[in-house]
Amino acid sequence: MEFVELIKTPRVDGAILHRPFQPRVEGTLCLTGHHLILSSRQDNNEELWLLHSNIDAIEKRLVRLELRVIMINLFSLQALSTLDSTTLMYPFFYRPMFEVLEDGWHSFLPEHEFTLLSAMTDEWRLSYINKDFTVCTSYPPIVIVPKSIDDETLKKVATFRQGGRFPVLSYYHKKNGMVMMHSAQPLTGTNGRRCKEDEKLINATLRAGKRGYIIDTRSANAAQQAKTKGGGFEQEAHYPQWRRIHKSIERYHILQESLIKLVEASNDQSHNMDRWLSKLEASSWLTHVKEILTTSCLAAQCIDREGASVLVHGSEGIDSTLQVTSLAHIILDPESRTINGFEALVEREWLQAGHPFQQRCAQSAYSNSKQKNEAPTFLLFLDCCWQMQRQFPCSFEFNEQFLVVLFEHAYASQFGTFLGNNENERRKLKLQQKTVSLWSWINRPKELEKYLNPLYEANSLVIWPSVAPQSLQLWEGVFLRWNRSSKYLDEAWDEIIHIIEYNKDLQAKVNALRRQLAELQTEDGELERP
Amino acid sequence: MQRERWQLQHQEHPSIDGIKSDTGTAPARGQEHRLPSGISNCTVGTLGFFREGMEYIRTPKIENVRLLDRVSSKKASAGSLYLTATHLIFVEHLSESRKETWILHSQICAVEKQATTATGCPLLIRCKNFQVIQFIISQERDCHDIYISLIRLSRPVKYEELYCFSFNPKQEKNERGRGWNLTDLKAEYNRMGVPNSLWQVSHVNRDYGVCDTYPAELYVPKSASTPVIVGSSKFRSRGRFPVLCYFCQDNNGAICRSSQPLSGFSARCLEDEQMLQAIRMSNPGSDFLYVVDTRPKLNAMANRAAGKGYENEDNYSNIKFHFIGIENIHVMRNSLQKLLDVCELRSPAMSVFLWGLESSGWLKHIKAIMDAGIFIAKAVAEEAASVLVHCSDGWDRTAQVCSIAGLLLDPFYRTLKGFMVLIEKDWVSFGHKFNHRYSHLDGDPREVSPVIDQFFDCVWQLMEQFPCAFEFNERFLVHIHHHVYSCQFGNFICNNNKESKELRLYGSSLQLKY
């Protein structure tokens, strides 16, 4: 298929762009294979580039003279924004205009992560059991498992867990050697099937005499119901050393509906306080944020305070499970609050761990086509990160903008990072060879400096976020940014950066003067001595 | 409001109260039973309430008291409770820092003695700055003594009993004067550019004869003669005739304030009509005058039956009349109570909290006040028009709205000094009833209302939206808010200027140095 076939009219003159807070722009609309471009053709600044994959819904309004042309274009747009073949998407056509200093595809190799781990403990090993994706299609080729468990056992465990997602290491807590693992639900079914190997595997992670916690991200009811579909949960009788806790985190279409309602409320221009608050409440978005954060805090608490190991799973182990493990990670591990550490976390706990980005992020809040695979799982994770960032403004190396960029690229991007649903698909698409990694672009010093938090001071402690409703706020930087100007907030940030730099300069001057003074004093001393 | 401090704030030492700086002694470690730092040097006032206050203290010190942690009810710190004539002080025993919690009697809004349990007798104290403190006192008798003392000490009956008359941080007399002169309103009007060819000082209220809730010096249009002023004042609630509140030098736009006219259903007053005309004429660039009634239309209409009401557009030449529905003090008092109830919920669900926030209506009221301020500021800045603002008596909603408009229009009011001047001008001088609204003295509970609290919330909202526009920070707002209730300084004590003069606050108490 050629793009040319889809583009009926490549150019329309006299188009007008209306934007809030800024004057309207009159110019020419151009349609290319991957972008919708509006150029005022007067000075180079007034240009809008819109990626087709960023287009969620198109409506016909305010169309007068060029009705026909724009209509044709609309059809083209619709076709272009809903390409069904991944290989026709922009990342495959995008050629970087920048010099790749460090190839992001190789920035976070599991082997490297493992060397860091083996410096702390020798109880774990790398397993290449999944190198052909035969044991588990959604796991990466290399996983970290207990040393005492051989590959044969793993294979048996995989048959007992949905989608073959056997328990693997997610986080090792250096302070007390406790671990967090994630997996999918056990396939106990209604007749209470058990698997000795599975019990052996997860017990292998416990120290002698210690107990562990299994955090099930479904309510007890939902977990019970899962049995009728062949799923289930770990029976106390078979896992006596583990205590199971149920926490209900919503998933799939419930989250998607919540997002749709929230975005609709955020775009509501009628200025009425009551309506705004009821709509915010009705969207339940903040309820979801609270649930996810609460569960993550619980997992972190079990590890840090109770000194127990934790296994997290829901049903498939690719949505709420990953939210909980990655957020617990951020609470516990100061390293994951740096830019590099956060990227490594996203790479490991989301991309490698098999969160189906392409399915979940295919459409966003405006789309009216109902597809059940969409869910703002990753956006909720970023929102939770933002809540923590707001509560601990000095503990994160990156700023809000960094989170916003990740959100944008998860939904529409020129980079291949978030394409595909798991490592298996990414290999088949040959993304490493054919597309550029988002990390290659972000990790250039010039780009990176946009995402640095000027207030950052490395904080080696565990951070405990407040999950009280009073402490959680709407993420304005994402949900209100197109409806209100951030000019004054940006100004404040510039001012903060300025003050901190000024302070650094002064500090440097003080140090120089002190040194000078010390030198003079020793000189004086030498002069006086003879 | 969400940014309010939800946690119990321990004041290590009340350095903001200025006492600590007096003692100059660092707390010594190791002394187990020691008076809280600062007590011994707490200077006794000349008026003798300190002595008088002592009479109400039945038990000055109680051992084995536990202070409950607001965040987790399991945690509690053990210590001793001291009762002085001015403060209730809790000193922690075990902690390294010997943490102290000081509560001013004037901050106490309500004291509740709850049913005795196995661990002791719980005493719940609600403060006017929204702090809630719960002690567990081991002896029921001690708890009762404290309860009775606090009830009396937190409800003084005469001004002389207030803390500001005994608070004396060893300051030179001239330094004290400097504090009071910091906010010179005459200088402020000069800064705005008045008196000038359009506006002049009027001494008609020299002896508070025309209006006892207005200051002695008032600024009125040059063309308004004394008979017009006096006539107009007779046609306005409590004699609060239209006077200048803010003047915009760039375009001659002015904000004036007054109380409601006594128009009833059909009454007219020539002088009042002339007064409004004079205000309009004082802005040569504009051919009309906005009259903003900050009440909901229904309330204003109801007032007509009582012989009050609002301006009839037919009787006044060239006015544009507007209602902006800000609710009255009773609605606001209830709204705050609902809001506090929501904030006090222990680990509520998100939807319960949001629903409670909404049904309290607090943010809706804040928005109404801001909307009114924006309307006035826009009229002045964009239309170069003059505005007359009033509500019923013109000392609550009018004060809120005029000061918000001032903040929006004039960068000076967003500085530290400017903000103090703004409060002194729009609130203190124009007779905002601090004593009644914030119940400094035991009085009618129906007069109490969080009027200035709402103003501070509005300012905080503005600070959130324009972080670089204000010289001061959130802490400054919280600090002033604290002292509106503390009665430690003489600024926010009385209902109006006349009362302050009679009390001779200037000489006998201190100006809050902000």
Side-chain angles (χ1 to χ4, degrees), chain B residues 10-242:
Chain B
H10 289 287
Q11 257 174 257
E12 287 241 13
H13 26 248
S15 50
I16 48 166
D17 296 356
I19 295 181
K20 184 69 173 102
S21 53
D22 275 357
T23 67
T25 49
R29 293 267 167 87
Q31 283 172 277
E32 263 312 301
H33 301 288
R34 181 176 59 84
L35 268 176
S37 55
I39 279 205
S40 46
N41 281 28
C42 200
T43 332
V44 181
T46 44
L47 282 154
F49 176 67
F50 197 83
R51 221 170 29 245
E52 238 173 83
M54 294 303 267
E55 288 166 19
Y56 305 114
I57 300 171
R58 295 158 169 232
T59 318
K61 182 185 176 187
I62 303 172
E63 303 277 2
N64 295 325
V65 176
R66 285 182 306 133
L67 173 69
L68 290 193
D69 193 316
R70 288 283 298 160
V71 185
S72 78
S73 50
K74 286 176 203 160
K75 275 188 253 164
S77 41
S80 306
L81 199 60
Y82 298 85
L83 189 62
T84 75
T86 52
H87 286 86
L88 181 68
I89 304 155
F90 177 80
V91 183
E92 219 172 289
H93 273 167
L94 289 172
S95 94
E96 272 287 294
S97 54
R98 288 180 61 92
K99 218 180 227 174
E100 293 171 9
T101 307
W102 290 57
I103 308 157
L104 256 174
H105 295 329
S106 39
Q107 278 289 2
I108 295 174
C109 171
V111 193
E112 280 171 45
K113 211 178 85 183
Q114 293 166 328
T116 314
T117 62
T119 50
C121 191
L123 187 73
L124 187 79
I125 297 173
R126 288 175 200 279
C127 297
K128 292 169 180 172
N129 60 3
F130 314 133
Q131 192 178 15
V132 180
I133 293 172
Q134 196 171 14
F135 293 112
I136 308 272
I137 297 168
S138 51
Q139 296 292 320
E140 207 273 330
R141 195 178 45 84
D142 287 342
C143 185
H144 185 72
D145 281 352
I146 285 270
Y147 172 74
I148 295 291
S149 305
L150 284 180
I151 290 277
R152 176 60 189 87
L153 288 166
S154 64
R155 285 176 206 160
V157 289
K158 49 181 195 282
Y159 280 126
E160 286 76 12
E161 290 179 28
L162 291 174
Y163 184 33
C164 58
F165 290 97
S166 56
F167 177 63
N168 180 5
K170 284 184 188 160
Q171 207 179 26
E172 291 295 323
K173 200 151 198 157
N174 54 5
E175 212 176 315
R176 178 177 289 200
R178 212 183 311 151
W180 279 104
N181 291 333
L182 202 64
T183 49
D184 177 2
L185 291 187
K186 199 168 200 167
E188 168 55 13
Y189 285 100
N190 284 338
R191 188 192 66 86
M192 288 184 215
V194 283
N196 56 18
S197 57
L198 303 163
W199 297 86
Q200 65 180 6
V201 191
S202 163
H203 294 282
V204 66
N205 200 34
R206 203 182 299 114
D207 317 312
Y208 303 103
V210 178
C211 173
D212 60 358
T213 57
Y214 266 171
E217 268 182 19
L218 291 160
Y219 293 80
V220 293
K222 214 160 203 175
S223 54
S225 61
T226 305
V228 167
I229 292 172
V230 174
S232 168
S233 85
K234 288 192 174 130
F235 190 64
R236 295 271 167 183
S237 260
R238 296 170 196 269
R240 293 171 67 91
F241 59 91

Side-chain angles (χ1 to χ4, degrees), chain A residues 350-370:
Chain A
W350 289 88
L351 294 161
Q352 301 275 338
H355 175 68
F357 275 99
Q358 200 163 335
Q359 282 182 3
R360 296 287 180 265
C361 302
Q363 305 284 331
S364 175
Y366 294 121
S367 172
N368 30 27
S369 58
K370 282 268 180 281

Side-chain angles (χ1 to χ4, degrees), chain A residues 1 6 58 73-84:
Chain A
M1 183 175 63
L6 291 171
I58 305 157
N73 252 328
L74 273 174
F75 287 123
S76 320
L77 260 181
Q78 248 151 11
L80 284 168
S81 64
T82 51
L83 289 174
D84 24 77

Side-chain angles (χ1 to χ4, degrees), chain A residues 271-275 277-281 286-287 290 390 468-474 484 488-489 491-493 495, chain B residues 2-3 6 342-345 347-355 357-358 361 363-364 367 460 464-468:
Chain A
H271 304 286
N272 183 325
M273 201 71 208
D274 280 357
R275 249 177 66 195
L277 282 173
S278 348
K279 282 189 161 183
L280 182 63
E281 192 236 305
L286 288 171
T287 307
K290 181 174 185 296
R390 214 183 50 78
Q470 292 94 325
S471 317
L472 301 179
Q473 287 190 354
L474 180 71
R484 64 190 233 190
Y488 298 104
L489 299 182
E491 238 175 58
W493 271 109
E495 192 58 33
Chain B
Q2 287 184 22
R3 287 269 177 93
W6 305 102
V342 173
C343 295
E344 261 189 54
L345 292 175
S347 52
M350 195 77 214
S351 57
V352 172
F353 174 72
L354 284 176
W355 187 84
L357 184 64
E358 188 203 322
L363 287 174
K364 186 175 77 182
K367 179 167 155 51
W460 181 82
E464 279 286 289
Q465 292 183 28
F466 303 92
C468 295

Side-chain angles (χ1 to χ4, degrees), chain A residues 371-425:
Chain A
Q371 285 165 317
K372 64 172 183 184
N373 283 328
E374 278 83 9
T377 317
F378 187 62
L379 175 57
L380 268 165
F381 159 70
L382 294 175
D383 196 328
C384 292
C385 292
W386 177 80
Q387 305 283 353
M388 284 201 262
Q389 206 183 45
R390 214 183 50 78
Q391 292 183 24
F392 299 90
C394 304
S395 295
F396 289 81
E397 194 192 9
F398 47 88
N399 59 16
E400 177 181 359
Q401 201 48 41
F402 181 65
L403 298 174
V404 175
V405 162
L406 289 184
F407 156 64
E408 288 191 325
H409 283 279
Y411 278 85
S413 175
Q414 63 269 47
F415 302 104
T417 301
F418 292 106
L419 285 185
N421 290 311
N422 48 52
E423 206 46 32
N424 189 8
E425 285 188 23

Side-chain angles (χ1 to χ4, degrees), chain B residues 472-488:
Chain B
F472 49 89
N473 58 15
E474 183 182 3
R475 205 177 290 168
F476 178 65
L477 280 185
V478 173
H479 184 47
I480 299 187
H481 181 255
H482 173 82
H483 284 298
V484 164
Y485 289 98
S486 76
C487 300
Q488 186 172 351

Side-chain angles (χ1 to χ4, degrees), chain A residues 479-530:
Chain A
F479 297 107
L480 300 181
R481 68 179 159 152
W482 306 115
N483 298 319
R484 64 190 233 190
S485 160
S486 64
K487 186 180 152 207
Y488 298 104
L489 299 182
D490 297 344
E491 238 175 58
W493 271 109
D494 290 344
E495 192 58 33
I496 289 173
I497 294 171
H498 174 75
I499 290 170
I500 285 171
E501 272 169 10
Y502 182 63
N503 197 33
K504 268 186 201 157
D505 282 355
L506 290 181
Q507 201 65 49
K509 267 184 202 155
V510 168
N511 290 341
L513 286 173
R514 280 217 182 105
R515 228 174 295 127
Q516 212 177 336
L517 182 69
E519 276 166 22
L520 286 173
Q521 276 169 342
T522 49
E523 266 174 38
D524 274 0
E526 277 162 14
L527 283 177
E528 277 166 30
R529 211 171 294 145

